[in-house]
Amino acid sequence: MTKSITYHKSPVGELALVEEDGKLIIIGLVGDEMPEGLVECVPGQETPVLAQTKQQLDEYFAGKRRDFDLPLAPQGTEFQVKVWDALYTIPWGETRNYGQIAAQVGNPKAARAVGGANNRNPIAIVIPCHRVIGANGAMVGYRGGVDIKEYLLELEGII
């Protein structure tokens, strides 16, 4: 189980991309709080999955890609993974609020817990946690900063 890491410049900042066993496990902003386990990574090994991730991210930022086609393996609790799976179903150009995601995962009273899981999303952008907004339409919470969230939503034509 070797984890490979590479870095990629993007319009929202430098991204750390991590792959393990042929699956993407992390896309995080460099300088942001990164998930545990990065010390076990082998730097500089550009695996096919990491190369494909870079290509698809470039296409996304150029406005040429709306859906990602990458092998994903986000690591978290059972509830977190359910939330991330629900986030992945939010289409390009649409948003959901925390209550809607809570209902989708079968726990309509868990909007706050959904917010916590959203904040811990290890595969930013591809698992579109930026598409989750407050019930009143407010741009609330984004681990990378609300300015990045707004940039991504503007890129997708939402705002």
Side-chain angles (χ1 to χ4, degrees), residues 13-79:
E14 188 172 25
L15 302 172
L17 313 175
V18 182
E19 175 262 332
E20 181 178 42
D21 297 330
K23 296 187 178 178
L24 187 64
I25 62 168
I26 296 171
I27 296 178
L29 284 164
V30 173
D32 193 15
E33 179 187 340
M34 296 293 287
E36 295 178 25
L38 291 184
V39 294
E40 305 161 2
C41 293
V42 177
Q45 285 191 345
E46 181 95 346
T47 67
V49 168
L50 294 176
Q52 185 181 20
T53 301
K54 285 181 174 183
Q55 178 185 349
Q56 290 191 23
L57 284 168
D58 287 346
E59 292 167 356
Y60 169 80
F61 285 117
K64 297 177 182 175
R65 175 173 289 277
R66 292 182 173 204
D67 299 305
F68 291 92
D69 181 24
L70 298 165
L72 306 179
Q75 300 170 359
T77 67
E78 182 180 342
F79 179 77

Side-chain angles (χ1 to χ4, degrees), residues 3 23 33 37 54 57 65 79 84 99-100 102 107 124 142-143 145 147 149-150:
K3 294 178 185 175
K23 296 187 178 178
E33 179 187 340
K54 285 181 174 183
L57 284 168
R65 175 173 289 277
F79 179 77
W84 301 333
Q100 289 170 315
N107 196 343
Y142 190 68
R143 195 162 79 198
D147 56 331
K149 180 176 190 158
E150 289 175 343

Side-chain angles (χ1 to χ4, degrees), residues 91-148:
W92 165 283
E94 294 184 23
T95 59
R96 302 289 184 273
N97 65 48
Y98 296 98
Q100 289 170 315
I101 298 297
Q104 186 174 339
V105 299
N107 196 343
K109 294 184 180 186
R112 282 185 190 257
V114 164
N118 202 43
N119 183 55
R120 304 303 304 165
N121 173 16
I123 307 177
I125 303 166
V126 172
I127 297 177
C129 55
H130 61 277
R131 294 180 188 152
V132 181
I133 60 174
N136 63 357
M139 297 296 131
V140 294
Y142 190 68
R143 195 162 79 198
V146 173
D147 56 331
I148 292 176

